[in-house]
Amino acid sequence: MNLHRPNANEALQTKNRSRNVAPQSGICSRCLDGCKGNCDMFQATFRGRELLYPQPFGKVTAGADKDYPVDYSHLNIMGYALGAKGIAPDPDKATFPAVDTETSFGFSQKVKMKVPIFTGALGSTDIARINWNHFAVGAAISGISLVCGENVCGIDPELELDGQGMVTKSPEMDRRVKMYRRYHEGYGDILVQINVEDTRNGVAEYVIEKLGAETIELKWGQGAKCIGGEIKVNSLERAIELKNRGYIVTPDPENPAFQAAFKAGPLKQFERHSR
Ligand code: SF4
């Protein structure tokens, strides 16, 4: 029994022509010569690994829809009164509004939170940039911690670097930190992730010394995941700029053959990979 539904998924905007598919491969039980297709396999013959990316890229947040045999919906929580812990067993005190969900993290410098929640990391993707204000304000007034993902400085079009390639100005990072801080009510913190490229570009020094950030997360290995650390780049100039900032850009935007393919049309986008 296949718990996936291979070869067709809304996240990739692909589907089978037939209503009957072989469960293990996801190929239609009648794979038709001349099919105009739209399954993964059909599209992959034209666009190859572009199918790694949920579509339309930069406008969606995608989740896996694998069906697990057991999930939380199979469990019932049957509550009944059996004393009280954390509060007096007093019907005037043990009330719903008195529930305390406060917690903290950190070893020597504790950060209090109203609820034990961190956001997912919102980094250099368009979806994170465009929706940042909603997340930042919501997290700040909810008293939870907001994770600013990797490469925010690295893809900032207005980024300024010094002679050693270290960040001296990043209006996009400034905006992200300031927006959270403006609505911060003493609970939670903004946590800036730093990957290999960020480390080399001095992002940690910039956010700590210039923006007053107090929490950072050092990360390595993003590029080793199935998909991660990647954005699509729609212009040749931008692809070359990101390569010059230390990113791996595929295909190589400085290769004359790929430049010609991009200008002629078959090559539509470059990919920026971070580590
Ligand atoms: S190519 Fe067409 S017929 Fe073949 S598996 Fe894909 S959708 Fe089905």
Side-chain angles (χ1 to χ4, degrees), residues 149-175 177 192-211 242 244-247:
E150 306 158 28
N151 305 313
V152 171
C153 293
I155 58 115
D156 186 348
E158 295 177 53
L159 177 71
E160 290 180 14
L161 302 168
D162 66 14
Q164 278 75 49
M166 306 295 265
V167 177
T168 57
K169 185 177 167 199
S170 172
E172 176 60 13
M173 182 61 92
D174 297 359
R175 174 182 80 98
V177 175
V192 181
Q193 293 187 329
I194 312 281
N195 67 8
V196 171
E197 286 80 6
D198 294 325
T199 304
R200 290 177 179 165
N201 291 338
V203 173
E205 292 84 344
Y206 181 76
V207 297
I208 293 169
E209 290 163 14
K210 296 267 175 56
L211 304 180
L242 293 177
N244 290 338
R245 287 180 184 175
Y247 289 105

Side-chain angles (χ1 to χ4, degrees), residues 78-153:
M78 308 292 281
Y80 65 102
L82 192 71
K85 286 186 181 166
I87 197 163
D90 178 337
D92 290 326
K93 291 187 178 145
T95 60
F96 180 79
V99 171
D100 180 8
T101 56
E102 207 176 301
T103 186
S104 64
F105 69 91
F107 189 69
S108 57
Q109 308 271 326
K110 295 239 182 263
V111 175
K112 290 188 299 179
M113 293 202 289
K114 282 188 185 160
V115 197
I117 295 176
F118 289 77
T119 66
L122 305 156
S124 58
T125 58
D126 269 355
I127 197 100
R129 179 181 59 77
I130 292 165
N131 293 288
W132 180 261
N133 289 356
H134 325 150
F135 279 113
V137 176
I141 64 177
S142 303
I144 65 171
S145 291
L146 175 65
V147 184
C148 178
E150 306 158 28
N151 305 313
V152 171
C153 293

Side-chain angles (χ1 to χ4, degrees), residues 7 15-18 26-28 30-32 35 37-39 41-42:
N7 200 32
K15 62 182 185 327
N16 286 91
R17 179 196 56 77
S18 167
I27 297 175
C28 299
R30 242 174 10 112
C31 185
L32 195 64
C35 169
N38 208 34
C39 66
M41 180 180 70
F42 177 91

Side-chain angles (χ1 to χ4, degrees), residues 207-229:
V207 297
I208 293 169
E209 290 163 14
K210 296 267 175 56
L211 304 180
E214 295 183 328
T215 311
I216 61 170
E217 180 188 349
L218 292 174
K219 294 183 69 187
W220 293 277
Q222 172 87 302
K225 296 193 312 201
C226 307
I227 178 170

